[in-house]
Amino acid sequence: MNKTDKKILGIALPLGALYTKENPVIGEYPDLAVFAEFCKKSDIDIIQLLPVNDTGTQSSPYSGLSAYALHPIYIRLKDIPGFDEFYNSDSRFKEKYDEFIAKFSGAARFDYSGISKAKELLLLDLYSNSETYKKGSADAALAKWISENDWVKTYAVYKNLKHNYEQASWKSWHKDDQQKTPEEIKKLWNTKAFLKEHLFHAWCQMIADQQFSAATKKVHELGIKIKGDMPILMNDDSCDAWAFPQFFNQSLRAGSPVDNENPTGQNWGFPTYNWKNLKADGYSWWKKRLTLSEKYYDAYRLDHILGFFRIWAIPDTDANAINGHTEPYTALKIDDLYKLGFDDERIRWLSQPHIPTGVIEDITWNHESAHKILSVFCDKIENEELWRFKKTVKGSQQIYWTNLSEFCNDDAANRIRQKLVEYWSNRTLLEVAKNKFVPLWIYFKSTSWQTLSDREKDLLKKEFDVLDVKNEALWKKQSDEILSELTKAVKMTPCGEDLGVNIRCVPEIMQKNGILGLRVIRWSRKWEEAGQPYMHFADYSPLSVATTSVHDSSTIRQWWNDEKDSIKAFVFENAGDFGIKQDWAEAEKLAAQEFTPELAQKILSACTKANSMWLIVPIQDFLYMEKRYWLDNAADERINIPGSVSQFNWTYRLPLDIEELTKDDNLTEKIKALSKARK
């Protein structure tokens, strides 16, 4: 980024949240151009969108069905060539379209599944009236578009197969369809019996591209930048995982390790990358993602940038993330353990869980019954009331799936499974490859660690510290190789979601590659200092994007009303912006008040002082400056609640249409004042 670039104000939102008077169902590609008029009037310089790639049946924009394809749900039907003629001449289509508008308009949140299914049927109707469908081959415009976007052939073949298998995961398809070579995919694409179906998906992608391109062009003509979002991972059930198996590790799942809020870590269910194969291919798959995005965006957000340094990799046989490890990693070899004085028996003790009969007997209240249950999963150690898991037990999922109804009732069975799953992760060392070991993330809680002498603990801890140093060097090398390749591939400004990072080399590598970090203001505190004071806005790195909230957090309204200690500290740090002295009693008094539009304006005004190059605020936090836009329940204004799966998540909708929003001179003037304060 050019150091002379001015500090600017931006706005963040999901495209689906928008709607207009004429198109009131869900935000669509052309709505972006209409929304840009509001941004221009408000002196907003950059629009940040959540991902808009096809996610199939998943409402989460971070659960991509395709790395390349745009989501058909955002296509505006009325803008498709031939719509008016077809609508006026075909009463059946007219009725379906009118029902679609009537059914899905006016809801507090949009119905992702219902809209997606209904829109696909309407798209099929429009496609059946197209020249391509009638001819049975691509018309000139579509043929040209396909030749310029060759990736769409693989996507279309995959989408058609998925439709034929009723949206089931490709891993459950017929064996012949689970894996296809590029030559086989090409042959399927050209199969006459499927050509119309394949061309339908290509036609949808062409329409989406045309509409999105036209909208982004208008945004740029207004002098406004657009920032896209690049999810780091792909859904296991994606076109890319199916078509490019060499780039994914299907035996591992990505997630995050244990922390205070997640006692068993997080297992996101997405496969990890095979960076070795991606590198050998010149990172072509990743570079194509970026070059396709550059058609629309001026900047891009790399989701979970920590994953480019190292990913938390979990065996696909495990339900939780405790038995995960970093990829890449440095391991202790068995010879290293021998040199420390540990023999094979002691190494087994450290690396394999040992389960006392009593932990199951405490649930069954029967010694014989406990033995029978344990023998399902474990082998008994001779002459001891200790058991080790059988080699046939590959992970905690297997424990959860095992039927124990012949031994006990459902309640006891559930408690037994949970206890066995706990013991599955009760170890000091994790054998990640034959005779190669890394410490379990929470090794210090294991039974085997507690039995070690102080000397043995000290010896192992020193080895673990050496591994940490070696790992840091590995992660630095990998991330620099990858990120330097990717950032050089396009001219877009790179941004990285670097929340929760505790790896020393991350800031250095991001700085070297010109990647803007993320500073969520409420979490930007000096956590190691007494009282955990807020960072001074002047100390924010210029190479960063500051924000008040993110799609996974509460809004500033919830933050103010629900996290009073955090608010008190924020008010104290920025007392002048709230018109009070820097006094804890005054800060506490003000923080105790209920949230108001005036307080929203003061919070945002304080945040404009952030030294970050960009301050990008979620649209909800801007809307709080006008009370009439508040929903009755502040929780309903969130976009997503992490760790939950529901129809609520990812379906946020603005409380008013874009036209009315643009007419609100009070709001636009308040936002303009914030923008002026940034410059």
Side-chain angles (χ1 to χ4, degrees):
M1 166 164 283
N2 192 320
K3 292 182 180 178
T4 62
D5 282 358
K6 62 183 179 181
K7 295 177 184 176
I8 62 175
L9 181 69
I11 191 167
L13 76 162
L15 178 60
L18 301 173
Y19 60 94
T20 62
K21 286 185 178 3
E22 190 178 4
N23 299 282
V25 171
I26 188 174
E28 297 169 337
Y29 297 116
D31 292 329
L32 188 60
V34 185
F35 182 67
E37 297 289 348
F38 163 77
C39 294
K40 183 67 175 178
K41 185 177 178 182
S42 304
D43 205 13
I44 287 171
D45 295 298
I46 187 167
I47 300 170
Q48 177 176 313
L49 296 175
L50 264 60
V52 293
N53 289 86
D54 189 358
T55 57
T57 59
Q58 302 294 316
S59 62
S60 169
Y62 296 94
S63 186
L65 191 77
S66 169
Y68 305 146
L70 294 172
H71 208 313
I73 199 171
Y74 303 126
I75 291 174
R76 179 175 291 174
L77 299 171
K78 293 181 72 173
D79 286 2
I80 295 174
F83 174 89
D84 290 337
E85 179 186 354
F86 193 49
Y87 178 83
N88 293 321
S89 63
D90 190 306
S91 59
R92 184 188 61 85
F93 176 76
K94 180 180 185 302
E95 183 180 356
K96 282 175 65 176
Y97 179 80
D98 290 347
E99 285 180 358
F100 169 74
I101 298 296
K103 181 177 181 180
F104 295 111
S105 298
R109 297 181 82 90
F110 64 80
D111 179 352
Y112 174 87
S113 179
I115 293 169
S116 183
K117 291 174 184 175
K119 185 168 276 191
E120 182 177 30
L121 292 175
L122 290 165
L123 284 166
L124 278 165
D125 285 341
L126 286 165
Y127 171 67
S128 69
N129 192 51
S130 70
E131 183 183 344
T132 290
Y133 183 86
K134 292 173 181 176
K135 285 175 52 182
S137 60
D139 63 20
L142 182 57
K144 182 176 184 294
W145 190 89
I146 292 170
S147 70
E148 295 169 351
N149 296 271
D150 194 59
W151 58 266
V152 80
K153 297 177 182 178
T154 299
Y155 167 77
V157 168
Y158 174 80
K159 285 280 282 190
N160 192 49
L161 282 168
K162 196 159 180 61
H163 172 77
N164 292 337
Y165 282 104
E166 298 180 333
Q167 304 303 322
S169 166
W170 61 264
K171 291 186 175 181
S172 67
W173 297 355
H174 188 279
K175 190 175 181 180
D176 290 344
D177 290 332
Q178 287 182 19
Q179 287 189 329
K180 293 287 185 186
T181 65
E183 293 74 22
E184 289 172 330
I185 292 172
K186 185 177 180 181
K187 185 178 179 181
L188 265 180
W189 163 263
N190 288 316
T191 301
K192 190 173 182 179
F194 307 133
L195 188 57
K196 282 188 175 181
E197 286 82 357
H198 293 158
L199 289 174
F200 167 68
H201 297 294
W203 176 81
C204 286
Q205 286 304 306
M206 179 184 71
I207 297 294
D209 175 43
Q210 290 172 343
Q211 292 190 1
F212 198 24
S213 294
T216 55
K217 182 181 178 183
K218 289 184 179 180
V219 175
H220 289 134
E221 287 172 352
L222 291 172
I224 298 170
K225 298 177 186 288
I226 309 172
K227 178 183 173 187
D229 199 335
M230 189 75 59
I232 182 175
L233 300 165
M234 295 302 303
N235 195 313
D236 183 47
D237 184 29
S238 66
C239 171
D240 302 86
W242 171 75
F244 309 107
Q246 70 274 25
F247 297 150
F248 298 89
N249 294 320
Q250 287 294 345
S251 62
L252 296 171
R253 293 290 174 269
S256 61
V258 171
D259 58 34
N260 290 334
E261 295 183 0
N262 300 283
T264 60
Q266 295 180 50
N267 186 335
W268 302 328
F270 300 142
T272 63
Y273 286 113
N274 186 322
W275 287 113
K276 181 180 178 181
N277 288 347
L278 281 161
K279 180 180 178 180
D281 195 54
Y283 303 106
S284 62
W285 180 84
W286 262 101
K287 288 176 180 178
K288 183 178 282 190
R289 290 185 76 182
L290 292 169
T291 53
L292 286 173
S293 297
E294 196 169 29
K295 293 167 63 177
Y296 319 111
Y297 305 131
D298 306 278
Y300 61 100
R301 171 187 179 273
L302 286 170
D303 175 49
H304 190 59
I305 199 168
L306 183 59
F308 292 94
F309 292 76
R310 59 91 170 144
I311 200 78
W312 188 250
I314 307 152
D316 68 333
T317 52
D318 272 345
N320 62 42
I322 299 178
N323 282 36
H325 63 277
T326 63
E327 286 276 346
Y329 63 84
T330 306
L332 282 171
K333 297 177 182 177
I334 198 165
D335 287 344
D336 298 325
L337 294 170
Y338 289 156
K339 289 175 184 176
L340 294 177
F342 296 101
D343 59 19
D344 288 337
E345 188 61 35
R346 294 279 278 162
I347 293 170
R348 274 195 296 273
W349 172 247
L350 292 169
S351 62
Q352 296 182 28
H354 290 63
I355 309 167
T357 305
V359 300
I360 304 302
E361 193 173 337
D362 286 346
I363 299 173
T364 63
W365 294 98
N366 184 290
H367 184 76
E368 183 180 351
S369 178
H371 268 240
K372 287 180 179 179
I373 292 169
L374 280 164
S375 65
V376 173
F377 304 96
C378 305
D379 293 320
K380 186 174 179 295
I381 299 174
E382 190 175 354
N383 300 323
E384 293 189 65
E385 288 297 332
L386 274 179
W387 304 69
R388 282 197 296 261
F389 283 105
K390 298 176 185 287
K391 291 183 179 179
T392 54
V393 177
K394 302 299 183 183
S396 56
Q397 286 187 26
Q398 189 174 337
I399 297 169
Y400 281 125
W401 294 340
T402 302
N403 187 351
L404 299 177
S405 59
E406 64 177 291
F407 304 108
C408 53
N409 62 36
D410 289 346
D411 178 65
N414 288 334
R415 286 188 289 144
I416 288 165
R417 290 191 197 96
Q418 189 56 48
K419 185 61 66 175
L420 289 170
V421 167
E422 289 175 15
Y423 268 87
W424 178 253
S425 298
N426 189 341
R427 56 184 96 193
T428 299
L429 298 175
L430 195 66
E431 190 170 11
V432 288
K434 186 172 177 58
N435 293 332
K436 291 184 177 181
F437 303 87
V438 297
L440 194 79
W441 188 261
I442 51 172
Y443 68 87
F444 47 86
K445 293 184 178 181
S446 70
T447 301
S448 55
W449 178 261
Q450 304 303 327
T451 65
L452 296 177
S453 67
D454 289 343
R455 176 181 172 278
E456 289 172 322
K457 288 179 181 178
D458 187 54
L459 287 171
L460 278 175
K461 186 66 172 62
K462 286 178 180 177
E463 293 296 325
F464 296 166
D465 290 343
V466 171
L467 292 183
D468 287 343
V469 173
K470 291 180 177 179
N471 279 335
E472 181 93 19
L474 269 182
W475 303 337
K476 182 177 180 179
K477 182 176 183 292
Q478 172 176 283
S479 60
D480 197 22
E481 286 179 354
I482 297 169
L483 294 172
S484 62
E485 284 284 328
L486 300 190
T487 54
K488 286 187 298 186
V490 289
K491 294 180 180 179
M492 293 184 291
T493 301
C495 308
E497 185 271 291
D498 55 347
L499 301 178
V501 167
N502 57 2
I503 300 174
R504 289 187 297 275
C505 65
V506 170
E508 176 189 344
I509 296 300
M510 291 181 68
Q511 176 89 20
K512 178 181 176 182
N513 291 286
I515 302 171
L516 279 67
L518 179 62
R519 301 293 174 265
V520 181
I521 289 163
R522 71 180 78 170
W523 299 331
S524 295
R525 303 175 69 169
K526 301 173 185 177
W527 297 105
E528 304 305 318
E529 293 186 15
Q532 300 175 334
Y534 273 82
M535 286 181 60
H536 301 312
F537 282 130
D539 294 336
Y540 279 36
S541 167
L543 201 69
S544 68
V545 178
T547 187
T548 51
S549 313
V550 293
H551 55 259
D552 281 339
S553 77
S554 62
T555 60
I556 59 169
R557 179 184 171 195
Q558 275 189 293
W559 173 49
W560 182 280
N561 289 334
D562 298 343
E563 300 180 44
K564 290 300 185 183
D565 287 342
S566 176
I567 289 297
K568 182 174 69 173
F570 180 80
V571 170
F572 178 82
E573 173 62 35
N574 302 283
D577 293 284
F578 290 93
I580 63 171
K581 296 177 182 178
Q582 196 167 33
D583 176 83
W584 280 110
E586 288 199 38
E588 186 169 21
K589 182 180 178 182
L590 181 59
Q593 296 180 17
E594 282 292 307
F595 191 63
T596 64
E598 293 73 28
L599 285 171
Q601 193 168 352
K602 288 176 180 178
I603 292 171
L604 295 175
S605 180
C607 294
T608 62
K609 296 178 181 178
N611 196 39
S612 304
M613 194 67 70
W614 296 343
L615 171 64
I616 301 181
V617 176
I619 192 167
Q620 301 98 308
D621 291 353
F622 278 133
L623 293 179
Y624 287 140
M625 292 191 292
E626 292 294 330
K627 183 71 177 282
R628 59 186 174 278
Y629 300 140
W630 295 19
L631 299 182
D632 292 339
N633 184 356
D636 291 339
E637 292 158 335
R638 288 189 65 148
I639 290 174
N640 179 52
I641 301 174
S644 68
V645 178
S646 69
Q647 293 181 348
F648 173 91
N649 285 343
W650 310 110
T651 58
Y652 171 73
R653 201 165 183 265
L654 289 184
L656 75 168
D657 59 59
I658 305 172
E659 293 94 337
E660 288 300 315
L661 182 66
T662 306
K663 291 176 184 176
D664 189 333
D665 293 335
N666 287 333
L667 179 62
T668 55
E669 286 301 313
K670 289 175 181 177
I671 297 175
K672 281 177 72 174
L674 297 173
S675 182
K676 184 178 180 181
R678 289 283 294 158
K679 296 170 181 175

